[in-house]
Amino acid sequence: MTRTTKSVFVTFVVLVVVAALGFVYASPYIALDRVKRAADARDAQTVNEYVDFPALRDSLKQQVTELLTRRIDIQKSGNPLAVIGAMIGAALVGPLVDSYATPDGVAAILNGIPPRGNPGERPPAPASVAAGSGTDTAGSSANAVTNGTGSPTVPASGLASGQEAPKPPQTTAGYRDFNTFVVTYQHGAGDARYSAIFRRSGLISWKLVAVDLNG
């Protein structure tokens, strides 16, 4: 092998390694884009490939229960009717979790519409979620903020009584550690945030496993 041939071979190997590392780094962004598109299209088979539903269900149950517990604690010294409403909501945690641990719920979570713990709350209808979606999240740089990432306009039928349609959220996506990738949503300065949490499932495979309603 001549010196020129060796140089070409080494250059080729380096390029392949760099490309492979780049693909590994970008893999959670690609997974996020694919699962969001699949959820918006209600492609249950593809959604199942990118969502660990048992883990997501456990996370939703814990997060919604903690949300309602905090709400009751805050309202104990306030309006008794508000406390009763929060207690009713706590009794409905199971149905709420069941409704969000679905492709409809995944689509809502990834479009900036998390559960709020309101009585009778369900994810919005498929058409309303898909209407504003279509943002290409793959290829985004870590910690890049994107405004107007396709949050839908939700009709009254998809919201609990008195709940307003959300504004388009700001999203921040990036690695928390080598095996954890977090997408954080916030509708405006000072507003509450929440996060969708992906966990590595293999070298380049990722699954949505949890939500953090505290941001």
Side-chain angles (χ1 to χ4, degrees):
M1 183 181 292
T2 65
R3 180 176 300 177
T4 301
T5 303
K6 288 183 179 179
S7 177
V8 170
F9 178 75
V10 170
T11 300
F12 175 76
V13 170
V14 170
L15 290 175
V16 169
V17 171
V18 170
L21 291 175
F23 183 74
V24 170
Y25 179 83
S27 59
Y29 296 98
I30 296 171
L32 172 61
D33 179 67
R34 289 178 178 172
V35 69
K36 184 180 182 302
R37 291 177 185 274
D40 287 343
R42 299 313 188 269
D43 179 354
Q45 182 175 353
T46 302
V47 171
N48 284 334
E49 296 177 7
Y50 291 96
V51 180
D52 184 339
F53 277 109
L56 179 61
R57 183 185 299 274
D58 289 344
S59 174
L60 283 166
K61 184 176 181 180
Q62 177 185 354
Q63 290 289 309
V64 173
T65 299
E66 290 178 357
L67 178 68
L68 290 170
T69 300
R70 290 195 301 271
R71 189 176 299 171
I72 291 173
D73 290 340
I74 291 173
Q75 294 173 343
K76 277 182 179 178
S77 60
N79 186 350
L81 294 179
V83 175
I84 293 174
M87 293 177 67
I88 292 173
L92 299 176
V93 167
L96 188 156
V97 169
D98 289 342
S99 69
Y100 268 87
T102 62
D104 283 356
V106 171
I109 290 169
L110 297 181
N111 279 287
I113 311 172
R116 300 297 186 186
N118 296 317
E121 183 180 11
R122 296 180 61 83
S128 64
V129 173
S133 62
T135 299
D136 184 2
T137 51
S140 301
S141 59
N143 299 318
V145 177
T146 303
N147 295 321
T149 54
S151 178
T153 300
V154 184
S157 60
L159 298 170
S161 177
Q163 184 179 359
E164 297 181 357
K167 300 175 183 178
Q170 297 177 331
T171 64
T172 304
Y175 283 86
R176 177 176 291 174
D177 55 48
F178 182 74
N179 293 317
T180 308
F181 182 80
V182 179
V183 187
T184 300
Y185 300 79
Q186 185 172 17
H187 285 280
D191 289 347
R193 300 186 302 169
Y194 78 97
S195 300
I197 301 171
F198 288 76
R199 190 71 42 78
R200 189 183 295 275
S201 177
L203 182 60
I204 60 173
S205 299
W206 294 81
K207 287 193 174 186
L208 175 65
V209 297
V211 295
D212 182 354
L213 298 180
N214 297 312

